[in-house]
Amino acid sequence: MPASARRAAPARTGRTWLVQAWKWGAGSLSAGAALISIISSVRSLPADHVRWIGVRPTADTARAIGDSIQLALTITDARGGVVPGVQVGWTSTDTTVAAVDSAGTVVARAPGVATVVAAAGGRIAQSRILVRPRAAAIWLQGDSVIHLGEGETTRLVARVVDERRHPVAGQPVTWRSSDSAVAVVDSTGRAVGVAAGRSTLVAAGGDLVLERPVEVLSVPATITLLAGDGQRASAGQRLAVPVRAQIVSRGGRPMAGVPVRFAAAEPAGRFAPEVDTSNADGIVQSVWILGDRPGRQRSALAVDGDPPIATALAADAEPDAANTRIIVPELPAGTAGAELPEPVAVRVTDSTGAPLSDLPVSWTAETGSIVADGVRTDSLGEARARWTLGPRAGGQRVAVQLGGLRTSPRGYLSTTALPGSAVALELVAAGVRRGVAGQLLSSPVMLRALDRSGNRVPDVRLTLRAGQGSALARTPVTDAAGSVTVDWRLGAAAGPQRMAASIPGLDRPVEILALARAGAPAKIVLEGVPETATARQPLAISALVTDGHGNAAAGVAVTFGSRAGKVAPARARSDSTGRARTRWVLDSRAGEQAIEVRVGSAGPGTTARVRVAADKKKAR
């Protein structure tokens, strides 16, 4: 065999040599059967018929997957002449690296080394094929311009490829952006649109560079309502303030040229225009004409896109008073200052009896307080509230207002507030009463039973206990005005007197005070008159005036007189002890002398006598 056919592969060291040797061995084993078959098929030729075979080139390199190398085979006999028509067998030691067909055409399949063997007439020749793809370009999947929306993310897939666009292993691709204010890209090729504009994304792999333009587009992100939400107008009428909104991009900037649809939900009327395109400030505007059905009406502004964006708004269509009915129930009486046991309710319909739902309802109590269960009528046209009555007993009323306009319908609910349980007694005309001992007070005592709110409570039974004298209620139960009138006959003793009044559940009775004074003078008694005395002796005389019960009568005019001696003063008034005082100087005559005393001109009187002895000093 010629030396060119026996040329060995270049020496290799380390792991690479071992891997290639293993591949060559594995390929040799797989090609063994083919070689044996080829050799056995050509042994039928005379031994000296095929003397040498050679293959050209003996070594070659493929620079891209899919490249082909055409091998040429020469067969000679012993005289060096070319032997034609000899059957040749071709095989590769590693078909995953390089494959060969029956014509000796080798096709590169994967990086690596393979040996192609040609066999003819019992002879073989070899060619070493090295497949080493060479980086020729950077390939990027996608369009020639990268389009991104603000805030949008995409994954860029780029590879280093050979001339036939097959990936070249071990060639990483790195990324960068020429303007990170427009778009950014990380090392994995994840690109994010930052703000509207144009930039360039650069991919680098070894010495190769690929530039791809990127365009970041503004994307509508929000619809901000500027005016027109929450208005009210009569049903079927145009709202006073047009609906205005601003379209803002993800980058926070107003967007011009964006079509916005204004759509009213049934039966919420219509918009004029139904579509408006945002101006340079991102503003759109349309007029909302409400539907004919009273109640809350809803609409929306929408921008088509991926994803679409929308915002909702609402308005109140006010009912027509002439076409609205507020049905109010008859309410039971309740306790003043307390919440009614059941919620109060009204039902709102149109003139045909159809319920009007979703109408704003407000409640106003003339006294007390009321708390609504909801701010709108429900699907049956009903609205409910909790009513706490005012503290005063009597008729009370609450107003129900539909909508918010002055012309909107209004209704009223009425009930009667009854007094609560009596918890206190009130003494009418409080203070100390004055009367005559043993007699009825000239003005009867009046008491009232009151509840916690100060209302007078009827049908309350009283208990009366007089400390002095006796008390008699004209009726033991409070009347319709919550009052009881009590006649009090004072005790016989003059001075302060007390009576206690109570009702069930009252912790401390009410105390009634009276000051009893003495009655008309009924008796007069002289004090300080001795049985015997000396002529011309001065005597201090007191007249005690009392009424029929023995009470000292104060301030009573008393007259003193005597036919013998001298009395001064002849007139005096009784003091607080019932005593009127005078001085009686006895006459100079011996014998019996008398002094007379009388109350007023027609009151009781009395006479006292004294035996007078002659003055011994004068006698000598």
Side-chain angles (χ1 to χ4, degrees), residues 524-595:
I524 188 167
V525 176
L526 281 172
E527 299 174 337
V529 180
E531 290 182 4
T532 61
T534 304
R536 297 181 179 178
Q537 179 180 346
L539 300 176
I541 305 300
S542 297
L544 175 61
V545 183
T546 61
D547 65 5
H549 299 290
N551 299 304
V556 176
V558 178
T559 303
F560 296 92
S562 178
R563 296 180 181 179
K566 185 179 180 180
V567 178
R571 296 178 181 276
R573 287 190 176 277
S574 59
D575 61 15
S576 60
T577 64
R579 289 176 172 83
R581 292 175 173 83
T582 190
R583 184 180 177 83
W584 181 21
V585 179
L586 298 176
D587 194 85
S588 60
R589 294 174 298 171
E592 188 177 73
Q593 297 185 26
I595 186 171

Side-chain angles (χ1 to χ4, degrees), residues 335-400:
T335 302
E339 183 180 302
L340 291 178
E342 297 294 332
V344 296
V346 296
R347 186 167 184 264
V348 184
T349 69
D350 61 16
S351 57
T352 67
L356 296 179
S357 61
D358 215 11
L359 278 178
V361 178
S362 59
W363 304 77
T364 304
E366 294 179 351
T367 59
S369 62
I370 191 161
V371 179
D373 286 350
V375 297
R376 293 179 178 273
T377 56
D378 60 18
S379 59
L380 299 177
E382 295 182 354
R384 295 172 179 80
R386 294 275 180 178
W387 187 6
T388 299
L389 299 178
R392 293 301 175 191
Q396 298 193 20
R397 203 167 66 154
V398 66
V400 183

Side-chain angles (χ1 to χ4, degrees), residues 292-605:
D292 295 331
R293 183 72 173 172
R296 183 161 50 183
Q297 299 189 10
R298 294 175 173 83
S299 62
L301 282 68
V303 174
D304 294 332
D306 187 16
I309 59 172
T311 189
L313 63 158
D316 282 307
E318 296 286 338
D320 178 17
N323 194 38
T324 304
R325 306 290 182 266
I326 302 177
I327 303 171
V328 297
E330 183 176 346
L331 299 179
T335 302
E339 183 180 302
L340 291 178
E342 297 294 332
V344 296
V346 296
R347 186 167 184 264
V348 184
T349 69
D350 61 16
S351 57
T352 67
L356 296 179
S357 61
D358 215 11
L359 278 178
V361 178
S362 59
W363 304 77
T364 304
E366 294 179 351
T367 59
S369 62
I370 191 161
V371 179
D373 286 350
V375 297
R376 293 179 178 273
T377 56
D378 60 18
S379 59
L380 299 177
E382 295 182 354
R384 295 172 179 80
R386 294 275 180 178
W387 187 6
T388 299
L389 299 178
R392 293 301 175 191
Q396 298 193 20
R397 203 167 66 154
V398 66
V400 183
Q401 176 71 58
L402 300 180
L405 301 179
R406 289 182 298 176
T407 58
S408 297
R410 175 185 286 253
Y412 293 92
L413 292 87
S414 300
T415 189
T416 300
L418 303 176
S421 300
V423 297
L425 272 179
E426 178 187 51
L427 178 60
V428 181
V432 178
R433 286 159 170 75
R434 299 180 184 276
V436 178
Q439 297 182 18
L440 287 173
L441 287 174
S442 58
S443 297
V445 176
M446 181 175 286
L447 294 159
R448 293 177 183 144
L450 305 177
D451 64 10
R452 293 187 184 277
S453 300
N455 297 302
R456 302 177 186 181
V457 184
D459 301 324
V460 179
R461 184 170 295 277
L462 270 72
T463 300
L464 300 169
R465 292 186 178 89
Q468 296 83 23
S470 61
L472 176 63
R474 294 177 181 173
T475 172
V477 178
T478 56
D479 59 17
S483 300
V484 166
T485 301
V486 179
D487 289 324
W488 185 7
R489 182 178 296 279
L490 297 176
Q497 299 190 22
R498 290 173 172 80
M499 179 173 63
S502 182
I503 58 175
L506 187 64
D507 295 335
R508 187 174 181 179
V510 174
E511 189 176 69
I512 306 162
L513 299 178
L515 184 61
R517 67 179 185 274
K523 184 179 180 182
I524 188 167
V525 176
L526 281 172
E527 299 174 337
V529 180
E531 290 182 4
T532 61
T534 304
R536 297 181 179 178
Q537 179 180 346
L539 300 176
I541 305 300
S542 297
L544 175 61
V545 183
T546 61
D547 65 5
H549 299 290
N551 299 304
V556 176
V558 178
T559 303
F560 296 92
S562 178
R563 296 180 181 179
K566 185 179 180 180
V567 178
R571 296 178 181 276
R573 287 190 176 277
S574 59
D575 61 15
S576 60
T577 64
R579 289 176 172 83
R581 292 175 173 83
T582 190
R583 184 180 177 83
W584 181 21
V585 179
L586 298 176
D587 194 85
S588 60
R589 294 174 298 171
E592 188 177 73
Q593 297 185 26
I595 186 171
E596 298 177 351
V597 61
R598 180 172 296 281
V599 176
S601 59

